[in-house]
Amino acid sequence: TGVQNLTVTYDGQTAGFTVEVLEPMNIVSIRVAQPPQKRIYVLGEELDLTGLVVEAEDSRGGWMEIEVSSAMVTGYDRNTAGEQTVTVAYEGKTATFVVNVITTGDVDGNGEINAYDALKVLQHSVKLIELDAAAFKAADVTHDDRADANDALKILQYSVRLITAFE
């Protein structure tokens, strides 16, 4: 490492150069600069990394964006409801982001679909409460981007086994 002087002679011509030899660059850390656009999933959905930006810090203090592949990602289970910490690994370093996997109809996220879930939807529909993004997605069993009385009815029908699935 350090500054080195080089002299090059070719065909009777001589030129001198000064070069700086640096230590090899190593990755010292990585970070999630921007989480993926989609962070709420319905049970069974594949993880979507669209929008995920991960950066690596080199031993000189510089940051560079790295391309993330699904092979670098662990911790997501599409068949398990709840909050999940997803880990990205690169050159022995890790960074994380959080996603939420919900069960359609389970508005309160307790693992059961019952009349209380329908009540939460009705309360939201008349503006008594505000559902967070995950609860809203669970409440929208009719897939019309609303949480209203139609959804509450379907949840009630499901809870007493009048229907066996949300369509």
Side-chain angles (χ1 to χ4, degrees), residues 29-35 51-56 63-68 72-73 88-90 94-95 97:
S29 69
I30 67 171
R31 67 181 177 198
V32 174
Q34 180 178 318
L52 175 63
V53 177
V54 176
E55 296 175 332
W63 289 91
M64 62 183 172
E65 187 174 325
I66 58 174
E67 187 173 329
V68 178
M72 300 164 60
V73 178
V88 179
Y90 180 74
T94 61
F97 60 92

Side-chain angles (χ1 to χ4, degrees), residues 103-148:
T103 301
T104 302
D106 184 13
V107 180
D108 62 4
N110 70 350
E112 299 175 16
I113 300 171
N114 56 36
Y116 185 68
D117 296 301
L119 174 62
K120 297 295 259 182
V121 175
L122 288 173
Q123 289 174 326
H124 172 81
S125 71
V126 296
K127 303 193 183 334
L128 289 177
I129 65 167
E130 186 68 31
L131 297 175
D132 66 23
F136 184 88
K137 187 163 180 122
D140 182 20
V141 299
T142 58
H143 310 294
D144 60 0
D145 294 323
R146 294 190 304 236
D148 56 21

